[in-house]
C-alpha cells in the first residue's frame, strides 16, 4: 500500500509498480512535477488507484514522446511514436496490466482521482510485453481495468512538443496474436462517469 505520500520533482516516475505486482493500492497520495508518469502500474495485475491528486507530471522525459509523420500508417492513424509509446507519460498510466475476468488477480480499479495538467491524463496502454515472469501462463495484457468517477483536467501548452493531452486507450503495437481489437472491445476495459475539463 502506498498511502499518504507526497512524491514530487523526481527525474522519472512518481510512484511506479513494475513487473508482477498483485493487489497493490495507491491511495491518498499527492504526486506532482515528476518528469515522467505520476503513477505507473506496469506489466502487473490487480490494483486499486483511488483518491490521489496527480498534477503536472510528464514534462521532463523525452523518450517515447517524439512523434513523426508516417505515410505507411494509413488506417492506423496519421502519426506514430518514433521511440517508445506516446502515452507513457500520463498522470496515471496502466501499462500492459490486468487479468482474466473472474480471476482473483484480475481487476484494476482507478477512481476518485484528481488528475490535472499532466502530459496526458489517465491512459490505458497495450504493447506486446510477452508473458509474466512469476506467473508464466499469463500474458501481460491491459484488461479488466475500470476507470470511473475521476476528474481530469488537460490543457495544451504553447509550443508543446511533449504529448497529446489525451485520456483513454491506446495500442502502441500489436498485442499477442492479432488481439488489438480485443483490447478495445472485448477485454473488459471501461471508462465511465469521469469528468473532463479541457481548454
Amino acid at each position: 500500500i502506498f498511502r499518504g505520500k507526497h512524491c514530487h520533482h523526481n527525474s522519472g516516475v512518481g510512484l511506479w509498480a513494475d513487473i508482477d505486482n498483485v493487489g497493490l493500492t495507491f491511495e491518498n497520495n499527492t504526486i506532482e512535477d515528476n518528469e515522467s508518469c505520476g503513477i505507473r502500474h506496469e506489466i502487473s495485475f490487480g490494483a486499486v488507484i483511488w483518491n490521489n491528486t496527480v498534477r503536472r507530471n510528464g514534462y521532463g522525459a523525452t523518450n517515447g514522446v517524439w512523434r513523426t509523420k508516417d505515410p505507411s500508417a494509413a488506417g492506423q492513424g496519421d502519426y506514430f511514436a518514433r521511440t517508445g509509446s506516446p502515452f507513457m507519460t500520463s498522470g496515471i498510466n496502466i501499462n500492459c496490466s490486468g487479468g482474466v475476468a473472474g480471476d482473483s488477480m484480475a481487476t484494476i480499479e482507478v477512481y476518485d482521482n484528481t488528475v490535472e495538467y499532466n502530459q496526458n491524463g489517465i491512459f490505458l496502454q497495450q504493447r506486446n510485453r510477452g508473458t509474466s515472469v512469476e506467473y508464466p501462463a499469463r500474458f501481460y495484457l491491459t484488461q479488466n481495468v475500470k476507470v470511473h468517477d475521476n476528474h481530469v483536467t488537460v490543457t495544451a501548452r504553447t509550443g508543446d512538443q511533449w504529448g497529446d493531452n489525451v485520456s483513454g486507450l491506446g495500442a502502441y503495437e500489436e498485442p499477442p496474436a492479432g488481439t488489438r481489437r480485443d483490447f478495445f472491445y472485448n477485454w473488459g476495459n471501461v471508462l465511465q462517469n469521469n469528468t473532463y475539463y479541457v481548454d
Side-chain angles (χ1 to χ4, degrees), residues 82-178:
R82 191 167 181 171
T83 55
S85 165
F87 309 118
M88 67 182 292
T89 46
S90 305
I92 298 174
N93 182 290
I94 306 300
N95 188 325
C96 306
S97 295
V100 178
D103 188 313
S104 62
M105 296 165 56
T107 302
I108 296 173
E109 193 168 11
V110 181
Y111 67 101
D112 287 343
N113 297 286
T114 299
V115 180
E116 299 177 323
Y117 307 115
N118 300 280
Q119 177 185 309
N120 296 294
I122 299 174
F123 210 82
L124 282 55
Q125 175 184 349
Q126 180 59 51
R127 300 172 64 189
N128 190 345
R129 300 295 299 273
T131 58
S132 166
V133 176
E134 186 70 23
Y135 310 99
R138 300 171 187 272
F139 279 96
Y140 292 126
L141 303 175
T142 301
Q143 55 185 348
N144 295 303
V145 181
K146 314 303 180 191
V147 179
H148 62 93
D149 300 294
N150 299 283
H151 292 267
V152 180
T153 301
V154 296
T155 184
R157 305 194 315 175
T158 303
D160 193 359
Q161 64 184 351
W162 299 109
D164 297 321
N165 294 290
V166 297
S167 289
L169 286 75
Y172 168 59
E173 57 196 5
E174 186 68 28

Side-chain angles (χ1 to χ4, degrees), residues 39-84:
I39 296 173
R40 183 185 296 168
H41 190 66
E42 183 170 3
I43 56 173
S44 292
F45 301 99
V48 174
I49 301 172
W50 78 283
N51 202 37
N52 300 283
T53 299
V54 185
R55 296 186 186 111
R56 300 179 305 274
N57 297 285
Y59 287 103
T62 58
N63 179 35
V65 295
W66 298 109
R67 295 164 68 77
T68 185
K69 190 77 170 178
D70 178 14
S72 69
Q76 299 178 19
D78 291 333
Y79 294 87
F80 83 122
R82 191 167 181 171
T83 55

Side-chain angles (χ1 to χ4, degrees), residues 21-42:
N21 295 278
V22 181
L24 200 61
T25 298
F26 298 89
E27 65 181 15
N28 302 319
N29 300 291
T30 300
I31 303 160
E32 303 173 303
D33 301 299
N34 299 288
E35 289 190 358
S36 192
C37 295
I39 296 173
R40 183 185 296 168
H41 190 66
E42 183 170 3

